[in-house]
Amino acid sequence: MDKDKIKLFKNAIALMLLLVFVVVYLLIMRIVPSLKTISQTMSEYKNQSGLLAEKERLLDTKKQEVLKATDTNLKGTKDMYKPLESGLDAEGIVSAQFEDILKLLKANAIKTRSIKYEYNPADDPFVKGAGETVSACTLDMQMVATYKNFEGFIKDLYKHEHFLDISKIEIIPYEKNKTMLLINFKLKLYAKKV
């Protein structure tokens, strides 16, 4: 009987060893793919961290460029137009600037279909806040121009020596001739009262 018990004991140990081997094998088969995934994820994380650091450096460079450009633009801030004569009404104060805009339109070969204007509009923030010292005129213009001529007009407005505000640009290509534009353009002119 002792031989049977020893044989049974050996079989139990062999079965236990086989069971441990199977469990270890299954654990290894389960862990190894996870380790590969973790390794790949860590590698991808390092790559993405490097890309992020590069993008942050690029963003910082762009921020510095924007700040520098903003500082330059602020140094070149345009003054409001100031007429030579005192005691003029709103129309008289803004008339010289209005004439400048008409010259720019003509210089860029832009045809005006209509121009509506409103002096000292009640919804204008300058008129609301400083209406006793500032006059404003909103020009609502319908124009016809080529792309190139309109581009020249916009560039000339940007170069204009006095402060003005482009509040609306609506561009529609002309159906019969796609090289021509129908333009709804709203511009605000400002002048200091003297």
Side-chain angles (χ1 to χ4, degrees):
M1 254 291 282
D2 285 333
K3 287 183 177 182
D4 286 336
K5 283 185 182 180
I6 293 174
K7 191 174 184 182
L8 189 59
F9 182 71
K10 285 182 181 180
N11 285 341
I13 288 181
L15 189 57
M16 291 277 279
L17 288 175
L18 182 62
L19 183 61
V20 168
F21 178 76
V22 168
V23 168
V24 169
Y25 177 78
L26 290 175
L27 283 175
I28 290 173
M29 293 308 289
R30 179 89 168 144
I31 291 173
V32 168
S34 297
L35 290 175
K36 286 181 181 178
T37 303
I38 290 170
S39 175
Q40 288 172 344
T41 304
M42 287 175 59
S43 175
E44 188 175 327
Y45 174 78
K46 286 179 184 177
N47 289 340
Q48 293 298 325
S49 295
L51 287 173
L52 177 62
E54 180 62 31
K55 296 289 183 187
E56 286 175 343
R57 279 191 294 268
L58 182 62
L59 181 61
D60 286 341
T61 303
K62 292 292 183 189
K63 282 181 184 177
Q64 294 302 322
E65 289 174 5
V66 167
L67 288 174
K68 188 176 180 181
T70 302
D71 288 344
T72 303
N73 286 343
L74 289 176
K75 289 177 188 169
T77 300
K78 297 177 181 183
D79 291 325
M80 283 193 191
Y81 174 76
K82 187 174 182 181
L84 299 174
E85 298 178 40
S86 61
L88 297 173
D89 62 353
E91 186 176 347
I93 291 173
V94 182
S95 65
Q97 280 192 293
F98 183 63
E99 191 175 314
D100 287 346
I101 300 303
L102 292 176
K103 286 178 185 175
L104 292 177
L105 289 168
K106 188 174 183 177
N108 287 288
I110 295 177
K111 308 268 189 281
T112 53
R113 293 171 47 194
S114 71
I115 299 177
K116 295 176 187 171
Y117 49 90
E118 178 183 2
Y119 292 105
N120 295 327
D123 64 339
D124 187 270
F126 283 109
V127 174
K128 283 181 183 176
E132 63 279 348
T133 60
V134 175
S135 279
C137 179
T138 301
L139 302 177
D140 194 353
M141 303 183 282
Q142 282 73 44
M143 306 179 289
V144 177
T146 64
Y147 288 88
K148 192 70 176 165
N149 291 352
F150 187 64
E151 177 187 20
F153 176 67
I154 294 295
K155 285 180 180 178
D156 287 346
L157 281 180
Y158 180 76
K159 294 176 193 173
H160 191 267
E161 62 183 310
H162 297 109
F163 177 75
L164 48 83
D165 179 31
I166 299 171
S167 48
K168 175 185 166 187
I169 300 176
E170 185 179 45
I171 300 172
I172 304 165
Y174 186 56
E175 286 183 25
K176 294 180 182 178
N177 182 356
K178 298 294 183 188
T179 64
M180 299 300 290
L181 301 172
L182 301 175
I183 304 159
N184 293 326
F185 192 80
K186 191 177 274 190
L187 178 70
K188 291 182 183 178
L189 305 174
Y190 296 97
K192 291 181 181 178
K193 292 180 181 176
V194 182

